[in-house]
Amino acid sequence: RESSSRSCEKAHSALVSMRAISSLAIVLSLGCVNGMAFPALGAISRVMALGAPLLKVQNKLQGQIGNQIAGVTQEEIQAEITAETLKGCTIYTYGLSPFSTDACELLDQLGCTYKKVELGPEWFLLSPRASAQRAVLLELTGQSSLPHVWIGGEYVGGLYSGPGIATLDESGELQAKLKAAGAL
């Protein structure tokens, strides 16, 4: 029992730390120039990845509660996501996320036509349905953080992760994928 209590305290402390890092990323993005967030987002992304195992557990729990409150099944949400991501370019975002902001800015700079699905302001401020959607996105992609980007039905990651649209842009692959999907 005491060990369980310590584990819960450590988990809570880690979540508070992840919120602090998220808040720092948001504050840094408020100093944006021309819509592009602070260049350190790549480094912040790598630091946030250290908390990914804990965030995945939190995501699943939040999603299960969201499913019950919203009265939807994972299968219904998965079918919805599949339909939304089959064609063109689709991006799932948080409104306050500098990573989401930069991903949309990159797509805008390229002249991409895309569907933006904003789940909510940030992961700890989601509605029950959005919490359930986020849990299904984790199941589909293995990534609990946003943004999530699909191009022509292919999941390409976030901004810096999985490989991520920033990486694809640097390698010259992003425009080709967007053109092939009819998003450019």
Side-chain angles (χ1 to χ4, degrees):
R1 226 182 157 132
E2 208 172 289
S3 175
S4 176
S5 177
R6 274 193 230 120
S7 295
C8 287
E9 287 174 16
K10 286 181 182 180
H12 175 73
S13 177
L15 280 174
V16 168
S17 296
M18 291 309 296
R19 276 192 195 148
I21 291 170
S22 293
S23 297
L24 174 62
I26 291 167
V27 168
L28 290 174
S29 75
L30 294 177
C32 294
V33 177
N34 296 327
M36 291 301 285
F38 193 74
L41 282 182
I44 292 170
S45 176
R46 289 186 290 281
V47 170
M48 289 181 75
L50 298 175
L54 180 61
L55 288 175
K56 286 179 180 180
V57 170
Q58 178 276 332
N59 178 320
K60 289 178 183 181
L61 179 60
Q62 185 179 7
Q64 289 170 352
I65 294 168
N67 281 344
Q68 292 199 353
I69 293 172
V72 295
T73 66
Q74 285 188 305
E75 292 78 18
E76 291 169 324
I77 291 175
Q78 185 170 350
E80 181 181 292
I81 291 170
T82 299
E84 287 176 336
T85 60
L86 278 178
K87 298 178 183 173
C89 179
T90 304
I91 181 169
Y92 288 82
T93 69
Y94 295 137
L96 296 176
S97 164
F99 301 99
S100 294
T101 300
D102 272 12
C104 290
E105 181 66 25
L106 175 56
L107 295 172
D108 289 339
Q109 286 178 355
L110 294 173
C112 177
T113 302
Y114 58 92
K115 179 178 184 176
K116 180 179 174 181
V117 181
E118 187 172 309
L119 295 184
E122 192 50 84
W123 65 269
F124 50 89
L125 298 170
L126 297 179
S127 70
R129 182 172 180 74
S131 295
Q133 287 174 299
R134 178 174 170 250
V136 171
L137 288 166
L138 169 61
E139 292 299 319
L140 292 173
T141 67
Q143 175 180 305
S144 66
S145 62
L146 269 66
H148 286 285
V149 182
W150 273 265
I151 301 173
E154 175 191 0
Y155 179 68
V156 295
L159 179 60
Y160 296 104
S161 58
I165 60 173
T167 303
L168 291 172
D169 185 49
E170 288 175 14
S171 71
E173 296 173 65
L174 182 58
Q175 286 189 359
K177 286 181 179 292
L178 291 169
K179 283 179 185 173
L184 274 186

